[in-house]
């Protein structure tokens, strides 16, 4: 599965880690001690989010690409 959802990645001083949010999938986020670890972790969470939504018969949003223009 190719992950094509927009990821919002930032450093959390409060949690002392990188946080990755997936705006198109409500409640879908992960963290990690490195940028790479955080992205790897969120890829697994995205797969779980989609699998759970499908099991519950809920709609899985299609990736929309860039959500915010500069």
């Amino acid at each position: 599965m190719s992950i094509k959802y927009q990821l919002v990645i930032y450093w959390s001083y409060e949690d002392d880690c990188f946080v990755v949010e997936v705006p198109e999938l409500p409640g879908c986020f992960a963290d990690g001690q490195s940028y790479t670890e955080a992205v790897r972790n969120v890829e697994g969470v995205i797969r779980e989010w989609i699998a759970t939504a499908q099991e519950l018969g809920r709609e899985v949003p299609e990736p929309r690409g860039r959500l915010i223009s500069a």
Side-chain angles (χ1 to χ4, degrees):
M1 172 179 153
S2 176
I3 304 298
K4 295 184 180 174
Y5 291 97
Q6 180 180 43
L7 305 179
V8 176
I9 306 167
Y10 59 91
W11 177 257
S12 171
Y13 289 100
E14 181 179 336
D15 299 316
D16 195 35
C17 64
F18 283 94
V19 177
V20 183
E21 298 178 7
V22 186
E24 295 167 277
L25 305 177
C28 187
F29 63 92
D31 62 19
Q33 289 303 305
S34 71
Y35 184 98
T36 304
E37 179 184 25
V39 171
R40 185 173 48 245
N41 291 343
V42 86
E43 288 174 345
V45 173
I46 290 170
R47 287 184 189 90
E48 292 173 14
W49 194 102
I50 291 170
T52 300
Q54 290 172 335
E55 288 173 15
L56 296 174
R58 296 184 180 159
E59 181 180 343
V60 176
E62 289 292 323
R64 293 183 291 173
R66 188 171 185 188
L67 300 178
I68 300 173
S69 58

